[in-house]
Amino acid sequence: MDVVNIFLTSELGESLEDFVHDQRRFTFDRLGPEGPRRLVEGPMWAFVDWVMPELAGLEMCRRLRADARTADAHVTMVLEEDDPEDRRRALRAGADDYVIGPLTRTAVLDRVLALQSRGVERQATRRFELGALTIDMAALQARWNEQPIVLRPNEFRLLRFLAENPNRVLTREDLINGLGKREPPIDERTVDVWIGRLRRAIKAAGGGNPLRTVRSLGYVFDLS
Amino acid sequence: MDVVNIFLTSELGESLEDFVHDQRRFTFDRLGPEGPRRLVEGPMWAFVDWVMPELAGLEMCRRLRADARTADAHVTMVLEEDDPEDRRRALRAGADDYVIGPLTRTAVLDRVLALQSRGVERQATRRFELGALTIDMAALQARWNEQPIVLRPNEFRLLRFLAENPNRVLTREDLINGLGKREPPIDERTVDVWIGRLRRAIKAAGGGNPLRTVRSLGYVFDLS
DNA sequence: CAAGGGTGTGACGCGTTTGTGACTGGTTTT
DNA sequence: AAAACCAGTCACAAACGCGTCACACCCTTG
């Protein structure tokens, strides 16, 4: 069973350790301006407060993305109030998700457990290969037989999410949620366009088509 | 393995029955103002909509708590929008949890499975094997001795339903209902065409004919 | 402030899926 | 043996779902 590492910028951590009884499955760590205090393995989940003592939350968010140790953490931004403008800023700064604060223990666990149960936990490995496809998390680059695939940010996340759940039909809804898009609600048909663009990019790199359409249901990353 | 009983105040139930393939582990029931329609055993999970035709969601929530049959159900409140005030009200009314609606199939399953998997083994990808036939629910793919069977959506659903009830004569009506076709009423003879198409697809994959016709009654999936 | 790239969406067209009526050949009933 | 019944198959039209394009919007960069 994997361990999920949870980073928080607030002091909720100690309270959570009390609340969660199965501590083998979770670690909690305080997240300061200089990043995590210790290096961890396994999926990471960061909850970043909008206002922090020493640093703006948005800046923290950008630093997490820039830091190789935390580049593929799932970042949830904690907003104080429900301001659409702030939400957009959070996502733009690299957050995957947001909650409207104040952050509660149940809100944290809901999110982490929901993600876990879907088999969606982020790979600890920075790099994984599926057939001819290689995905390098640290470099944020994908290759088909050493040939780089030119991907836009959203396409990269889409490919990563699909590749993390191979041989499994993902509905359009799964994909929208998997990319952490919540605001504004994304039209399901938009996923078709994402897939189309991703396929074109893979083909442009001389690749095949590992993305199978499952009519009336969704898409699968076909392994084998 | 315990059965989890899921109650919903919305009409998502039927859609879920179609979506969840392992029905032995779940039951779905509609939740009306007077509570559940039948008495069940095992863990219960209720999803209560914030607005309901005849009753406010909060009141429903209180009734569930007051009713001995459902007092220890896990109640999830479905909020229409992310209003902190509403969330607090929901929790105060006895809800354990909340989601921001609209309630989706994956949201329901995420939560229920998260509970299930807490301390329990992660559910493996669902897959049945019946003789030479393999049905992979995650990939939504069927195989005959490793040879993929090319199926259209309706054919896949038909095969699944037949394979879930092997050695049992299913009438045409059973099959129509089993596939969740209600609107418009389907002509029973249409089932013959479905069967014919399914047989042809299996044969095209080099398979035999596990579908036996029972004259004047219906069809059976023969497991021998 | 202008130029350029990334992204979401409506619209259009095409191919696929699917329900149905009709025809056929076989089986049961009278 | 005729009539009635039943299931397999085909062809077809309508509906549906998906891929694609162009466009508008917003953000970033210079």
Side-chain angles (χ1 to χ4, degrees), chain B:
Chain B
M1 175 58 67
D2 289 339
V3 172
V4 179
N5 303 285
I6 301 178
F7 299 115
L8 298 118
T9 60
S10 65
E11 272 150 11
L12 200 58
E14 281 133 37
S15 156
L16 275 162
E17 282 185 19
D18 206 29
F19 191 65
V20 178
H21 309 299
D22 191 351
Q23 277 159 20
R24 283 164 307 178
R25 295 182 62 203
F26 300 98
T27 73
F28 299 95
D29 206 353
R30 190 65 189 280
L31 194 58
E34 67 291 349
R37 281 180 301 195
R38 44 203 182 99
L39 200 55
V40 297
E41 287 194 347
M44 291 172 285
W45 202 305
F47 289 84
V48 177
D49 284 296
W50 184 253
V51 286
M52 293 168 54
E54 304 131 48
L55 192 64
L58 287 176
E59 179 57 25
M60 182 79 232
C61 214
R62 288 191 200 94
R63 288 196 193 180
L64 285 171
R65 285 277 167 261
D67 188 334
R69 295 173 300 171
T70 52
D72 57 349
H74 188 109
V75 178
T76 294
M77 196 85 203
V78 183
L79 304 185
E80 288 187 318
E81 48 189 355
D82 196 351
D83 182 344
E85 189 50 41
D86 284 352
R87 291 185 309 205
R88 236 167 299 157
R89 270 200 283 265
L91 297 179
R92 238 181 292 130
D96 297 287
D97 199 1
Y98 63 84
V99 293
I100 312 300
L103 190 58
T104 60
R105 300 179 301 187
T106 45
V108 171
L109 295 184
D110 277 350
R111 283 172 187 258
V112 177
L113 290 176
L115 180 89
Q116 284 244 298
S117 71
R118 224 175 287 197
V120 188
E121 89 288 357
R122 174 87 54 76
Q123 187 183 3
T125 45
R126 199 73 206 103
R127 159 184 283 244
F128 347 169
E129 305 195 6
L130 304 110
L133 185 72
T134 311
I135 301 184
D136 183 339
M137 285 310 176
L140 292 178
Q141 212 176 36
R143 293 170 184 271
W144 189 278
N145 285 333
E146 303 305 311
Q147 186 66 226
I149 306 175
V150 183
L151 293 176
R152 288 175 276 217
N154 205 47
E155 290 156 18
F156 187 86
R157 266 178 278 161
L158 178 63
L159 177 59
R160 163 165 73 85
F161 189 72
L162 284 159
E164 277 172 351
N165 301 289
N167 289 337
R168 198 174 142 224
V169 178
L170 297 169
T171 65
R172 295 177 172 74
E173 193 187 339
D174 289 337
L175 293 169
I176 291 170
N177 293 333
L179 300 207
K181 308 254 185 186
R182 287 162 191 268
E183 216 59 32
I186 297 291
D187 189 320
E188 294 208 342
R189 289 302 316 282
T190 298
V191 175
D192 297 4
V193 183
W194 293 350
I195 295 282
R197 287 171 179 161
L198 178 52
R199 280 177 176 150
R200 199 189 311 163
I202 295 175
K203 187 189 273 183
N209 181 17
L211 276 35
R212 182 163 51 89
T213 305
V214 181
R215 193 180 164 88
S216 81
L217 284 176
Y219 298 91
V220 205
F221 185 98
D222 259 336
L223 191 62
S224 52

Side-chain angles (χ1 to χ4, degrees), chain A residues 149-165:
Chain A
I149 305 175
V150 183
L151 293 176
R152 289 175 277 224
N154 203 49
E155 290 157 17
F156 184 82
R157 301 173 115 205
L158 178 62
L159 177 59
R160 171 200 193 176
F161 187 74
L162 284 159
E164 278 171 353
N165 299 284

